[in-house]
Amino acid sequence: MIDNTKDLEGEEGLVSIIIPVYNVEKYLKTALDSVLNQSYEKLDIILVVDGSTDKSLDIALEYAKKDRRIFIVEKLNGGLSTARNLGTELVKNSPLRKALESIKEDSNKGTKNALLTSNYIKPKQIAMCAYPYSLKYAKLQGYLYPSAKNYFVNAIFPFKSQVFGEKPIFIGSFSKNELKKRARLFDAFKKQNLHRLLNLTPKVVDDSLLSHFEYDKRGFFRFSLNDITQLLRQDLPPKQFIHYFDSDDFMQRLCIQSCINAMEKDTEVVVHHYSIFYDGVGVPLPPRTKEQKKWHAKHHKPHYIENVLKEYEDGRVDGSKLFKAANISPINFGWHGMVSNSYLNKIALRFTPFLDMEDLNFGMLLLGKAKAIKVLKDKLVAYRVRKDSISNYAREKKINIPQSLEYLKSHFKSNQNIRTYFNLFCHFFAVLDIYLSLKRLNSLDKKAKKSLETQLTYILQERVEMAFYYDRKGKDPLKCLLIVQHLPFLMGNKVLDSNTRMLLRLGMKNGSFVIKLLNFAFLSVNTTFWRRTAYIVARSIYIAIGLKKLRMRLAKKADIKEIKKNLNSKKP
């Protein structure tokens, strides 16, 4: 077993820049040049090559020869979030990084590393775990990474359907007391809350985990899996910091120095602004007509950083103030800020693996729980919008999907349909994860929670009807519409238009019926007159159903009053 506590303090002021790399040979050199050109030189640069099929790895190795601060690991493709999580576990001076550097040193010397030949430290006694898995079963299946104090078991799916394919999403590390209280343990899994699951994830690095790493003498490590989130969540060196960065963007020379200057003693997170440049895609034109301006106002809100700085000029806020000042603008955090390792240790947070929109729930949880945030107006990163990026898949006729989404091919004909549906699911999952994590958070006051609900509603405002559509077509394998039932705040929020609120009030059964009529009104009828007529019919049916329910409710109240009246009259 590896000593996970020795010299964990790390190097004070060291900043780890974590860069996921996937098929970016056109842009990687520009991104790395901007990082190496930082005025702040105390850097640890981690490149996570996420199953790239182009020359990205070769470019990374070329740069690593020039600068010893670069550490490279290659893994199976799992997406941006899994790459960031692996990079997080590999920050300099972390137990995992130290273990790998020891392996590298021994490999270069031509000696066999003791870490890979030692025996497991096995639990003192075998105990039954969350049904139907036992330690014996987990061991046979290769799921067992035991420590002296914990028992490791296979995961329970957070959804009824197999959301991420055939393999389980998480395994967990459980104490004997947790295993005895199976009901509480099951509830922790049943609620789709990554933050709580991470508290049950292994904190120790052992040789079984290290067996998934292989050192290549060209100067990098290979990780044989696509995700480490389920296997490890260490405490990180508390005196250090992390800045995530994308491999197709550009970092301004003073970016890291500006963040370090803002990182006062108690500051947990620094958020800075960014600029956008369009590479090979059309620059959006400003709205001209009245309809265009109306649509633009609805869909393009001011960035939350701008809203916060209007309210608080010094940029010093906590999570509650941030959410209130952000107003309706959704909050995210991925590549435009710095976070202290000590704060990440405190809240045990990582990116949700295998999902798009990973910076949405990560950002809201990170900032919602924070007590000391510094917001900077400076645009310290240039964000590239390009036609072959994840965020622009909708414009492409031919797109590829990662292996993790292959299971959806039985439900959809084209890769674009798979991407569109999965992106919809990711929005719903992110909103649910945020809501479950923050709704009971004491540090957020009532107004902040109300603002949070409004932001979450804004995110889903045009997606609820899409969820009804997929459900009606029988093409909702990941149960987006089921998630809606766990978001009670949606029904009364006026960010949603009246038609969407109508569907939510009617429920899934009646809602699907009415949406058929609405689809008929807007898709099947050609002329404006008949569209209007069909729409009025659909609304009339909705009102009739609502009035019927209202009459039943009033009748029930009248009956109760009558019963109370009779009871009072019988009293002496």
Side-chain angles (χ1 to χ4, degrees):
M1 206 70 175
I2 296 151
D3 186 350
N4 289 275
T5 57
K6 189 178 178 182
D7 298 326
L8 190 62
E9 289 294 307
E11 299 176 39
E12 189 166 359
L14 181 69
V15 179
S16 295
I17 301 178
I18 297 171
I19 310 174
V21 177
Y22 178 71
N23 289 355
V24 285
E25 61 181 1
K26 295 180 185 177
Y27 318 104
L28 186 56
K29 288 184 178 181
T30 303
L32 290 178
D33 285 338
S34 73
V35 171
L36 297 178
N37 194 39
Q38 289 298 298
S39 60
Y40 189 84
E41 296 182 350
K42 204 171 183 179
L43 301 178
D44 165 39
I45 303 161
I46 302 167
L47 302 180
V48 184
V49 182
D50 189 32
S52 281
T53 56
D54 65 0
K55 296 180 181 178
S56 295
L57 177 59
D58 294 331
I59 295 169
L61 290 170
E62 179 189 328
Y63 273 79
K65 289 177 183 176
K66 300 175 186 176
D67 199 310
R68 295 180 65 185
R69 296 175 297 176
I70 296 176
F71 181 90
I72 303 170
V73 60
E74 184 185 42
K75 62 184 280 295
L76 296 181
N77 180 255
L80 208 56
S81 51
T82 62
R84 284 175 178 165
N85 286 348
L86 179 57
T88 302
E89 303 303 338
L90 286 170
V91 298
K92 193 173 182 180
N93 301 310
S94 70
L96 180 57
R97 176 75 168 268
K98 286 181 179 179
L100 294 183
E101 286 174 345
S102 174
I103 293 169
K104 177 182 176 181
E105 187 177 339
D106 285 352
S107 177
N108 290 333
K109 289 178 182 177
T111 59
K112 200 169 184 178
N113 193 282
L115 291 172
L116 297 180
T117 58
S118 62
N119 295 321
Y120 298 128
I121 294 180
K122 297 175 181 174
K124 292 180 181 179
Q125 66 181 91
I126 300 297
M128 285 299 291
C129 304
Y131 180 84
Y133 302 108
S134 66
L135 287 172
K136 186 177 180 181
Y137 173 85
K139 205 171 181 181
L140 289 171
Q141 298 298 319
Y143 294 135
L144 185 62
Y145 298 84
S147 69
K149 295 182 180 179
N150 291 321
Y151 299 92
F152 289 67
V153 297
N154 199 355
I156 302 167
F157 275 97
F159 287 91
K160 290 181 181 178
S161 60
Q162 294 187 354
V163 179
F164 298 106
E166 296 177 358
K167 293 183 179 179
I169 311 168
F170 297 99
I171 58 172
S173 167
F174 310 103
S175 67
K176 197 181 294 183
N177 288 334
E178 285 173 323
L179 292 175
K180 286 177 182 176
K181 299 176 182 178
R182 293 183 193 174
R184 196 178 76 181
L185 188 66
F186 180 72
D187 286 340
F189 276 107
K190 192 168 62 176
K191 293 178 180 178
Q192 300 91 331
N193 187 328
L194 180 68
H195 176 58
R196 291 184 67 178
L197 286 170
L198 280 170
N199 285 324
L200 305 174
T201 302
K203 283 192 172 187
V204 291
V205 179
D206 74 359
D207 29 340
S208 181
L209 174 60
L210 290 175
S211 68
H212 292 294
F213 288 91
E214 178 189 0
Y215 180 65
D216 187 302
K217 290 198 172 182
R218 287 186 291 166
F220 69 98
F221 279 90
R222 283 194 182 93
F223 182 54
S224 64
L225 305 176
N226 58 7
D227 183 35
I228 201 172
T229 314
Q230 58 184 352
L231 304 177
L232 183 68
R233 202 277 301 157
Q234 314 163 98
D235 282 336
L236 305 173
K239 293 183 178 181
Q240 298 176 191
F241 308 95
I242 290 175
H243 192 301
Y244 298 102
F245 182 61
D246 285 352
S247 53
D248 57 352
D249 292 343
F250 182 88
M251 187 177 279
Q252 303 295 345
R253 179 171 165 75
L254 294 175
C255 177
I256 301 300
Q257 184 66 64
S258 300
C259 291
I260 285 291
N261 292 344
M263 266 291 181
E264 295 179 359
K265 190 174 181 180
D266 62 338
T267 305
E268 295 163 328
V269 187
V270 172
V271 185
H272 61 72
H273 214 336
Y274 57 90
S275 58
I276 297 176
F277 69 101
Y278 296 88
D279 183 2
V281 296
V283 179
L285 296 172
R288 295 177 181 176
T289 67
K290 189 176 180 181
E291 287 185 359
Q292 286 175 346
K293 288 178 181 178
K294 188 177 179 181
W295 185 91
H296 190 272
K298 183 180 179 181
H299 294 83
H300 296 273
K301 303 298 178 185
H303 197 282
Y304 76 90
I305 289 176
E306 297 165 11
N307 287 345
V308 170
L309 291 172
K310 279 182 184 178
E311 190 82 18
Y312 302 96
E313 289 184 9
D314 64 351
R316 292 273 168 199
V317 291
D318 58 16
S320 197
K321 289 178 180 177
L322 182 86
F323 273 90
K324 286 185 286 188
N327 197 6
I328 200 172
S329 302
I331 291 167
N332 68 334
F333 183 97
W335 34 264
H336 57 285
M338 184 181 289
V339 57
S340 72
N341 286 1
S342 60
Y343 178 54
L344 276 182
N345 291 342
K346 179 181 174 183
I347 64 174
L349 186 64
R350 298 293 187 270
F351 289 91
T352 307
F354 305 115
L355 289 181
D356 297 342
M357 310 306 300
E358 73 288 329
D359 55 348
L360 186 61
N361 55 338
F362 179 84
M364 284 196 169
L365 298 181
L366 181 84
L367 297 170
K369 295 171 183 286
K371 294 181 179 178
I373 304 166
K374 174 66 175 178
V375 181
L376 302 177
K377 66 178 180 180
D378 306 297
K379 296 182 178 181
L380 300 177
V381 164
Y383 176 74
R384 186 192 301 266
V385 177
R386 54 187 174 91
K387 67 177 183 177
D388 50 345
S389 66
I390 294 173
S391 57
N392 276 308
Y393 69 88
R395 301 180 185 185
E396 297 297 306
K397 291 182 180 180
K398 292 183 179 180
I399 61 168
N400 297 317
I401 61 167
Q403 192 176 356
S404 58
L405 296 183
E406 290 283 334
Y407 67 96
L408 288 175
K409 282 192 172 181
S410 60
H411 298 276
F412 300 96
K413 292 180 179 179
S414 70
N415 288 353
Q416 191 167 35
N417 288 339
I418 290 173
R419 257 295 172 202
T420 302
Y421 173 75
F422 187 68
N423 184 266
L424 177 75
F425 166 75
C426 291
H427 279 86
F428 277 99
F429 184 97
V431 167
L432 180 63
D433 189 34
I434 295 161
Y435 180 65
L436 290 174
S437 298
L438 297 183
K439 69 174 182 177
R440 292 177 183 170
L441 190 66
N442 293 330
S443 61
L444 289 181
D445 60 34
K446 286 184 178 180
K447 287 185 178 178
K449 288 179 181 177
K450 194 70 179 174
S451 180
L452 167 67
E453 290 179 358
T454 301
Q455 290 170 34
L456 297 180
T457 307
Y458 179 75
I459 292 166
L460 297 180
Q461 65 174 335
E462 291 186 341
R463 294 181 171 92
V464 175
E465 284 193 32
M466 289 175 68
F468 273 101
Y469 169 79
Y470 280 112
D471 180 72
R472 181 172 66 82
K473 291 284 187 182
K475 292 186 176 182
D476 188 14
L478 305 184
K479 307 300 180 188
C480 294
L481 198 56
L482 190 64
I483 295 176
V484 174
Q485 293 180 316
H486 297 282
L487 303 172
F489 59 88
L490 286 175
M491 194 178 295
N493 199 304
K494 291 186 178 179
V495 170
L496 296 179
D497 60 49
S498 58
N499 294 330
T500 307
R501 295 202 304 273
M502 169 187 76
L503 295 176
L504 291 173
R505 289 194 182 97
L506 287 172
M508 287 198 286
K509 187 176 179 181
N510 292 324
S512 294
F513 170 69
V514 172
I515 202 168
K516 287 179 185 178
L517 292 171
L518 290 174
N519 284 338
F520 171 76
F522 289 100
L523 299 176
S524 302
V525 187
N526 292 325
T527 64
T528 305
F529 172 77
W530 288 110
R531 280 189 180 184
R532 183 70 181 166
T533 304
Y535 177 75
I536 291 170
V537 170
R539 289 284 292 174
S540 299
I541 292 171
Y542 159 63
I543 292 166
I545 294 170
L547 287 173
K548 185 179 178 181
K549 287 185 177 180
L550 179 62
R551 282 196 296 271
M552 289 172 67
R553 204 182 306 148
L554 292 174
K556 192 175 181 180
K557 284 184 179 180
D559 290 341
I560 292 169
K561 283 182 181 179
E562 186 67 28
I563 292 167
K564 285 181 178 179
K565 187 178 179 182
N566 291 336
L567 287 172
N568 290 331
S569 64
K570 289 179 182 179
K571 286 182 181 179

